[in-house]
Amino acid sequence: MGSLGEFPAETNYRKPLGIRFLESIKKSKLSYKTHQAIVLIVTFFAYASYHATRKTTSIVKSALDPQSSEVGLKLFPWRITYVSQPSETKRSLSWILGDGWAPFNGSDGTALLGQLDVAFLAVYAFGMYFSGHLGDRMNLRIFLTVGMIGTGIFTALFGVGYWGGVHSYYYFLVVQMIAGLFQSTGWPSVVAVVGNWFGKKKRGLIMGIWNAHTSVGNITGSLIAAAMLSYGWGWSFVLPGLMIAILGLVVFLLLPVSPESVGADKEEEEVGSPRKNGEEVTRPLLSSDKELKEEAVGFIEAWKIPGVAPFAFCLFFAKLVAYTFLYWLPYYISHTAIEGKYLSSETAGNLSTFFDVGGVLGGILAGHISDRLDARAITAATFMYCSIPALYFYRSYGHISLAMNIFFMFICGMFVNGPYALITTAVSADLGTHSSLKGNSKALATVTAIIDGTGSVGAAVGPLLTGYISAKSWSAVFTMLMGAALVAGLLLTRLVVAEVAARIAESRSQRGQESSPQVSELDV
């Protein structure tokens, strides 16, 4: 078997079956870069599937509650249509959509659907704290597999209510809450795994690109759910549920949790670079040290890690803004006259994806800039401050023309989702391997869960407040969002000042080193 015989028996036994199968075909050990590629690809599709299942409810709302705007199911999704225009497609689907689905087809249908959203996000946020705690104490591959299959089952069970003729509100409420609990396993797990494989040097850029899974998942979930509506709204839940369950099996078979778990040797570029300003050289990120016995970091201890609390509360307000757009942007577009006309719900939903596209670019830019500057807080705060005028311009001038609406929406997505992506990925991984932990890698999932769990509370609060405030004034909603963005930036002030001071000290040190040879020559 060649070099396979050289593998330690214990390490080979711990390897996922898929990795062992690939190595048996290759007849040699997989390289470190190959393992990294597997990690990025598997976790990308895994978390994209989480978001795909999360997005289905917003698409099916109009089938459950026909008082909402019409559902767009046209073959060409980017075609512009207006409410005033008749649609043969919509008429042909009326026999499927009918009068909605009890109990959501009454006068309080929209409120009940909103309560499902809030219940899902509340349990998701609550479960996030426990998921991170458990993730650092369990095999992340098993933990993530259970979470994905559980999410698939309960997502599908929501759709089963269609064939089962279920009309109990509490059935859908309980199913959504349990689905939210299983969904909370995803983010701490995938960030911890990616953090185990990638060093800090290029982590921001890599994770910025990798974080596109959020938008890919949202768009995929929207397209699948909309396409399945013509066969009955139950399929809009069952198909995404089946998809995430299958990907959960892929995770079980292929995902290497850490280099140590598969006996992979770190390459030179993964070795941590010496610290600046004369600090001692750090060990490689999460390097294996058999003499160091690692114990999982407690919940309270994780909160005490420098930077965790400020970034967690910053994400609370950043997610408040981002998730308000996620849940309300299509509704806002369809109820705002653009060039004096109101767009159909179909076109508004498709148009809203430009916010996600802007978010992809924002995540990549934020990660790359923070890598170049070695300043996560400065980058995140700057993006949040820039989102304030972007939100103002979108509200004030987005109605003038379709082109301006798309442009300002794209800019909003870039500045709103940029820091959101940065904090939930690179920052969480940085803090989960903070120097105060002395090389202990058993904090990644816990820290990630604390930060994203706190942010998810804001994700629940934002859409809830918007539901009440928008009934009076959309301008008041945007004022709330701009205020939240301002607070998010201000919460990082202390960290920004520290990073600026570090940059100044570094600049002075470099100037001193450049001038020292000239002084020695004059002395000679």
Side-chain angles (χ1 to χ4, degrees), residues 74-119:
K74 291 187 177 179
L75 181 62
F76 303 101
W78 296 108
R79 181 180 173 184
I80 306 301
T81 57
Y82 298 94
V83 172
S84 58
Q85 294 176 339
S87 173
E88 292 298 328
T89 306
K90 292 170 188 174
R91 285 201 295 270
S92 65
L93 289 175
S94 62
W95 64 275
I96 295 177
L97 301 181
D99 295 325
W101 190 267
F104 306 109
N105 59 348
S107 59
D108 60 345
T110 303
L112 292 177
L113 290 169
Q115 290 172 18
L116 290 185
D117 291 338
V118 173

Side-chain angles (χ1 to χ4, degrees), residues 276-296:
K276 298 177 181 178
N277 302 327
E279 296 182 10
E280 74 277 6
V281 177
T282 60
R283 69 173 60 207
L285 174 65
L286 306 183
S287 61
S288 177
D289 188 346
K290 301 301 181 183
E291 298 179 359
L292 178 64
K293 184 178 180 180
E294 296 183 348
E295 295 182 359

Side-chain angles (χ1 to χ4, degrees), residues 407-486:
F407 174 76
F408 287 122
M409 187 195 313
F410 180 89
I411 297 299
C412 284
M414 184 174 68
F415 286 123
V416 169
N417 284 343
Y420 163 31
L422 179 65
I423 294 172
T424 54
T425 54
V427 169
S428 296
D430 288 349
L431 295 176
T433 56
H434 194 270
S435 58
S436 64
L437 297 172
K438 298 179 180 179
N440 189 349
S441 65
K442 292 290 188 177
L444 264 171
T446 300
V447 169
T448 301
I450 286 174
I451 292 176
D452 200 49
T454 304
S456 295
V457 177
V461 171
L464 179 64
L465 291 177
T466 300
Y468 292 104
I469 300 174
S470 62
K472 297 181 180 180
S473 170
W474 275 105
S475 294
V477 171
F478 276 83
T479 300
M480 176 191 74
L481 298 180
M482 288 186 283
L486 176 62

Side-chain angles (χ1 to χ4, degrees), residues 13-32:
Y13 177 77
R14 292 166 57 194
K15 291 181 180 181
L17 289 172
I19 298 295
R20 280 187 268 171
F21 176 72
L22 292 175
E23 289 183 336
S24 66
I25 294 177
K26 187 180 178 183
K27 299 187 184 302
S28 65
K29 187 177 179 180
L30 297 181
S31 68
Y32 193 86

Side-chain angles (χ1 to χ4, degrees), residues 150-173:
T151 298
I153 291 172
F154 282 91
T155 299
L157 281 176
F158 195 104
V160 167
Y162 171 76
W163 293 284
V166 178
H167 296 284
S168 170
Y169 168 72
Y170 293 102
Y171 169 83
F172 296 109
L173 179 67

Side-chain angles (χ1 to χ4, degrees), residues 161-209:
Y162 171 76
W163 293 284
V166 178
H167 296 284
S168 170
Y169 168 72
Y170 293 102
Y171 169 83
F172 296 109
L173 179 67
V174 171
V175 167
Q176 275 290 80
M177 292 174 70
I178 299 177
L181 189 62
F182 277 108
Q183 283 255 355
S184 67
T185 62
W187 193 241
S189 301
V190 296
V191 172
V193 172
V194 174
N196 286 339
W197 283 95
F198 292 90
K200 185 177 180 180
K201 184 178 180 182
K202 297 180 180 179
R203 182 186 287 160
L205 176 60
I206 291 171
M207 284 190 158
I209 298 172

